C-alpha cells in the first residue's frame, strides 16, 4: 500500500471509530421523562430532562456518512477508474464493498430512528382523574444497534479499502490479437 492509501485507511477507521463511540454515548445518555402535576393539581404532563443523545446520535450519523464518502471517493466508488488487477483481492474488495454499504444503511437507519425517537416528546396534558399521559422516550438499544452496525461498517469499509488498494496497480488488460497474418 502506498502512503496515500495508508492515510485514507487511517482516516476511514478513525472517523468510523469516533462514530461508534458517539453512538455508544448516545445510548448511555438517553433522555428520561417524569410525570409532573401542575400547581393546582388539575393537570399532569410529561417533563423531559435534558440529554445529549440527540447531538451525539446526529454526530455519529454524520461521521459514519463521512467515512463512507471518503472510502467511495478514494476508491472512485469501486466501479469507476482504472481496471483492477484480477485475483482474490478484487473479488474480496467487491464483496466487502457491497457488505459495507449494506451495514452502513442499517447503521444509518438505526441512528436515524434513535434521533427521531429522541426528538419526539409527548408533552400533552390530561385531567388528573383521567389516565396519565404516556411519556415516550428512546427505546433501549436503538442507538446501541446503530453503534454495533457502525463498528461493523468501519471494519468492513477499512477491509474493503485495503483489498481495493492491494488490487489497484499497473494492471494492463491483454489485447486480443485477431488477424489474418501468420506472424502474430
Amino acid at each position: 500500500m502506498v502512503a496515500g492509501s495508508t492515510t485514507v485507511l487511517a482516516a476511514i477507521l478513525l472517523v468510523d471509530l469516533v462514530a461508534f463511540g458517539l453512538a455508544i454515548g448516545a445510548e448511555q445518555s438517553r433522555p428520561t421523562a417524569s410525570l409532573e402535576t401542575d400547581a393546582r393539581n388539575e393537570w399532569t404532563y410529561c417533563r423531559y430532562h435534558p440529554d445529549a443523545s440527540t447531538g451525539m446520535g446526529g454526530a455519529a450519523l454524520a461521521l459514519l456518512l463521512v467515512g463512507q464518502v471518503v472510502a467511495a471517493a478514494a476508491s472512485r466508488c469501486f466501479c469507476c477508474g482504472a481496471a483492477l488487477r484480477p485475483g482474490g483481492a478484487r473479488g474480496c474488495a467487491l464483496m466487502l464493498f457491497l457488505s459495507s454499504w449494506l451495514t452502513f444503511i442499517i447503521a444509518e437507519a438505526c441512528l436515524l430512528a434513535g434521533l427521531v425517537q429522541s426528538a419526539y416528546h409527548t408533552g400533552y396534558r390530561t385531567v388528573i382523574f383521567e389516565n396519565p399521559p404516556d411519556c415516550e422516550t428512546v427505546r433501549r438499544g436503538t442507538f446501541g444497534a446503530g453503534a454495533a452496525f457502525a463498528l461493523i461498517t468501519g471494519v468492513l469499509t477499512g477491509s474493503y479499502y485495503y483489498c481495493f488498494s492491494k488490487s489497484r496497480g499497473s494492471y494492463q488488460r491483454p489485447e486480443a490479437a485477431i488477424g489474418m497474418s501468420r506472424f502474430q
Side-chain angles (χ1 to χ4, degrees):
M1 269 177 48
V2 294
S5 297
T6 305
T7 305
V8 171
L9 182 60
I12 291 168
L13 292 175
L14 179 67
V15 167
D16 285 344
L17 192 60
V18 171
F20 168 72
L22 286 170
I24 289 292
E27 176 67 27
Q28 295 300 318
S29 66
R30 291 177 301 122
T32 57
S34 61
L35 276 176
E36 296 197 7
T37 308
D38 67 345
R40 295 187 292 172
N41 287 334
E42 292 179 358
W43 301 93
T44 57
Y45 60 95
C46 296
R47 172 176 228 114
Y48 289 88
H49 308 289
D51 67 290
S53 66
T54 305
M56 285 194 276
L61 184 99
L63 285 175
L64 196 60
L65 178 63
V66 167
Q68 285 296 105
V69 167
V70 166
S75 66
R76 297 187 183 135
C77 202
F78 191 77
C79 56
C80 301
L84 298 177
R85 197 174 311 138
R90 182 174 71 173
C92 188
L94 176 64
M95 294 306 295
L96 289 168
F97 175 77
L98 296 173
S99 300
S100 72
W101 276 100
L102 178 67
T103 58
F104 166 75
I105 290 169
I106 294 170
E108 291 282 309
C110 290
L111 291 172
L112 189 61
L115 286 174
V116 168
Q117 289 176 358
S118 181
Y120 178 72
H121 295 288
T122 56
Y124 64 89
R125 300 174 176 178
T126 63
V127 177
I128 196 85
F129 298 111
E130 294 179 9
N131 291 333
D134 183 24
C135 300
E136 295 184 21
T137 58
V138 179
R139 269 190 257 158
R140 185 171 194 81
T142 304
F143 284 121
F149 278 103
L151 183 64
I152 293 168
T153 299
V155 169
L156 290 175
T157 304
S159 300
Y160 152 68
Y161 191 74
Y162 177 77
C163 288
F164 176 83
S165 296
K166 196 173 171 184
S167 67
R168 182 175 53 184
S170 59
Y171 174 67
Q172 298 287 329
R173 288 187 177 162
E175 294 184 30
I178 299 176
M180 301 297 282
S181 143
R182 299 185 296 157
F183 304 107
Q184 284 189 358

